[in-house]
């Protein structure tokens, strides 16, 4: 996997990579990660990928991270690890 660029965001760490004829968007927040694959055939160049990460999409990504944390905390509680 080849790193292409960081995509600036105030809350999230977003990296763009190229691998196997796909662009990989890796979004991280704390211990959690979401990955999205975009076919190279769906965009003209890697410079087009950041435009896909509009505010409604990223707001949903943040909500999903919150849900991931809720799920993780719940399983830790069930196992008496908290």
């Amino acid at each position: 996997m080849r790193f292409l660029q960081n995509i600036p965001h105030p809350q999230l760490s977003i990296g763009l990579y190229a691998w196997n004829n796909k662009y990989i968007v890796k979004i991280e927040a704390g211990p959690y990660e979401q990955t999205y694959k975009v076919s190279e055939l769906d965009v003209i160049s890697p410079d087009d990928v950041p435009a896909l990460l509009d505010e409604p999409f990223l707001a949903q990504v943040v909500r999903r991270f919150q849900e991931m944390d809720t799920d993780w905390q719940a399983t830790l509680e069930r196992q008496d690890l908290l």
Side-chain angles (χ1 to χ4, degrees):
M1 188 162 32
R2 183 172 54 95
F3 174 77
L4 299 178
Q5 71 180 58
N6 282 315
I7 300 170
H9 190 274
Q11 286 180 276
L12 306 169
S13 173
I14 304 174
L16 180 61
Y17 301 83
W19 184 68
N20 277 358
N21 300 317
K22 292 180 180 64
Y23 297 114
I24 309 296
V25 179
K26 186 164 94 167
I27 307 171
E28 298 176 78
Y32 307 111
E33 178 179 301
Q34 296 177 44
T35 304
Y36 297 87
K37 297 177 183 176
V38 180
S39 171
E40 288 180 349
L41 301 174
D42 291 341
V43 294
I44 294 172
S45 79
D47 296 331
D48 297 329
V49 175
L52 299 172
L53 309 179
D54 61 10
E55 282 308 310
F57 174 78
L58 291 174
Q60 187 60 38
V61 166
V62 170
R63 282 191 289 278
R64 194 165 295 116
F65 276 127
Q66 292 165 343
E67 292 171 0
M68 291 168 72
D69 186 59
T70 298
D71 294 344
W72 185 247
Q73 295 304 317
T75 196
L76 292 176
E77 287 177 17
R78 286 192 302 277
Q79 302 303 319
D80 291 323
L81 296 174
L82 284 183

